[in-house]
Amino acid sequence: MEELTSFAKRRGFIFQASEIYGGIGGFWDLGPYGVELAQNIKQSWWRHFVNRNFNVVGLDSTIIQHPRLWQASGHVDTFVDPMVDCKACKHRFRADHVAGEDTNDLDKLATALADKACPNCGEKGTFTEPRQFNMMFKTHVGPVEDTGSTTYLRPETAGGIFAQYDNVRETTRAKLPFGIAQIGKAFRNEITPGDFIFRLRELTQMELEVFVKPDEAEKWYEFWKQYCMEWVQSIGLKADHIRLHDHADDERAHYAAASVDIQFEYPFGFKELYGIANRTDYDLSAHAKESGKDLSYFDEETKQRYVPYVIEPSVGVERLLMAVLLDAYDEEQVDGDTRVVLRFTPEIAPVKIAVLPLSKRPELSELSREIFKEIAGDWRVEYDETQSIGRRYRRQDEIGTPYCVTIDFDSLEDKAVTVRDRDSMQQERIAISELKSYLTQKLS
Ligand code: GAP
């Protein structure tokens, strides 16, 4: 983990937020390559989950919503994690983590904690009784900080989707099954953030809420489970690093009838990457009750009225980005040297092409800049003319750039360039006039 964290920093993927002030737990910034990688992951998700499904549309709802929304959704009362303190060293922990039990049941946890030693100071039998801690960040809307002005930063993007369900259905004239997708920030005051960007306090979710006929919920649950499994592999996760984990009764969120995780094998073991849940009619019914607005659906086929069920695939961009980074990372021996290479798929590689003039001589720079301008609008392209060509290739390998285009003195005569493939390191001479279509084909 330390290696990954320092590599991600050194290569400009991920920086600690407020690092110059010593950092702030659970908050990380995306650097120049991290932001491109995240952008590509989000675009791929949008292409696969929105564009490729004729019945899915997008939404961008606000981070702060009416506080009654979180009351209705159950988050005010039940979005809690069990917390425990060590009386000896005053450290605070997630009770389920220390107990080694995947449950929220305080009695079960208290029993399991009785003979556990504190992970920080090693003392035994020094834990307080476990208690529940609400993870929503509170804030106030307006200048008066009284209870009437208390609001929350959303703990999931889904809430905004449910609140706009009826507007979207009406304006798009959607019939079941249909989905609403959203990408956006969510906030959770995690008791123990950590494992780099695995457990964050500010995260980005990509969520899809699919509204279905109640008796088709199981079918769609299976469908989206497989769809998600296929998609994460298409962006580079290895089949033997992912597995499905069905939730037991005491693992499920308060709103779910069934849920399954796609787990990824992180350096600290198989952990939740993606959650797929059958939220039943829990949310729409709860919001209908709290708001007084009828959110039922009239089925023109069967002439019946019912509240749709919801199937929800939900994933955090950062957790996925970390998995993608881990599975792309490779080291190999080349000429007695270690070559570090990120084997990103072309679709998600932060930089697609590097344009590298062999020397800084003006005649080469001029041609190289022309080539850069020709291709840079279509892809993220880097221009680099410093250091030896070998070192520049290695630098591009380390950020996972699939193709390097080298312009040499022959290029001035034969109007051709050398294209180097990141994975095979093979080089091919390509006419400049053919370069764009060659790269288009390679990167598609
Ligand atoms: N709307 C459903 C929902 O929010 P969740 O299982 O709590 O369900 C969904 O979260 C996904 O969001 C997780 O599978 C994970 O990828 C990501 N996620 C949740 N909490 C996170 C955290 N503290 N840090 C990073 N990612 C997180």
Side-chain angles (χ1 to χ4, degrees), residues 138-435:
K138 272 187 197 160
T139 187
H140 294 272
V141 168
V144 184
E145 293 195 5
D146 60 13
T147 50
S149 69
T150 300
T151 53
Y152 306 93
L153 303 189
R154 65 182 177 199
E156 59 171 12
T157 72
I161 296 181
F162 298 129
Q164 292 296 0
Y165 156 78
D166 215 42
N167 279 335
V168 174
R169 187 194 56 76
E170 228 176 85
T171 51
T172 61
R173 295 173 294 118
K175 302 267 176 283
L176 299 189
F178 76 94
I180 306 177
Q182 170 157 237
I183 300 179
K185 292 276 183 161
F187 301 82
R188 299 180 180 192
N189 200 359
E190 297 281 355
I191 299 165
T192 45
D195 290 325
F196 192 29
I197 56 168
F198 180 81
R199 186 167 291 102
L200 296 166
R201 287 181 167 139
E202 177 173 337
L203 56 134
T204 316
Q205 287 187 318
M206 303 193 285
E207 301 205 290
L208 172 63
E209 310 300 322
V210 189
F211 301 90
V212 302
K213 292 181 186 179
D215 60 5
E216 292 184 354
E218 270 178 48
K219 178 181 92 180
W220 289 114
Y221 178 68
E222 289 304 318
F223 172 85
W224 286 105
K225 186 162 88 175
Q226 289 312 320
Y227 197 89
C228 295
M229 281 291 272
E230 282 164 28
W231 177 66
V232 294
Q233 291 175 74
S234 82
I235 60 165
L237 300 199
K238 295 180 177 148
D240 56 345
H241 290 172
I242 52 174
R243 69 178 189 196
L244 289 165
H245 167 75
D246 283 305
H247 280 186
D249 288 350
D250 57 359
E251 279 179 81
R252 278 199 293 273
H254 59 275
Y255 47 71
S259 53
V260 61
D261 289 342
I262 299 176
Q263 295 184 330
F264 176 78
E265 192 173 15
Y266 290 96
F268 39 88
F270 271 101
K271 295 282 175 203
E272 174 183 352
L273 162 68
Y274 216 129
I276 298 110
N278 174 358
R279 293 179 75 130
T280 68
D281 59 357
Y282 175 91
D283 300 275
L284 289 184
S285 296
H287 291 303
K289 190 163 168 233
E290 178 75 18
S291 67
K293 175 148 177 96
D294 181 6
L295 297 176
S296 65
Y297 176 85
F298 182 69
D299 190 326
E300 280 165 13
E301 250 175 64
T302 61
K303 307 288 178 216
Q304 281 175 332
R305 185 169 277 287
Y306 50 79
V307 178
Y309 269 36
V310 170
I311 304 302
E312 175 195 66
S314 169
V315 65
V317 172
E318 297 83 1
R319 240 178 231 196
L320 188 52
L321 186 148
M322 182 173 163
V324 162
L325 206 52
L326 283 160
D327 267 3
Y329 188 93
D330 196 15
E331 286 179 5
E332 63 179 16
Q333 292 304 313
V334 178
D335 305 330
D337 219 15
T338 305
R339 179 173 90 115
V340 171
V341 50
L342 293 183
R343 300 193 192 278
F344 290 131
T345 63
E347 184 191 22
I348 62 148
V351 176
K352 310 291 188 221
I353 303 152
V355 171
L356 312 173
L358 198 62
S359 94
K360 279 192 202 163
R361 293 274 289 276
E363 57 271 40
L364 283 195
S365 291
E366 196 186 329
L367 177 60
S368 304
R369 280 172 197 277
E370 268 172 35
I371 291 173
F372 175 86
K373 273 194 200 145
E374 168 80 12
I375 56 179
D378 294 341
W379 299 289
R380 177 84 193 143
V381 182
E382 251 189 24
Y383 185 87
D384 186 5
E385 55 183 17
T386 53
Q387 295 187 323
S388 76
I389 190 70
R391 288 178 78 163
R392 280 182 276 162
Y393 282 152
R394 291 297 165 83
R395 212 184 104 75
Q396 294 301 328
D397 289 342
E398 288 194 11
I399 58 165
T401 307
Y403 296 99
C404 289
V405 174
T406 306
I407 296 92
D408 55 27
F409 289 100
D410 288 343
S411 305
L412 300 171
E413 305 302 325
D414 68 358
K415 304 280 179 265
V417 292
T418 301
V419 180
R420 172 189 181 267
D421 180 290
R422 176 197 68 200
D423 294 333
S424 66
M425 291 188 286
Q426 296 290 315
Q427 304 194 0
E428 239 186 295
R429 199 78 182 159
I430 305 291
I432 295 170
S433 58
E434 300 291 316
L435 183 63

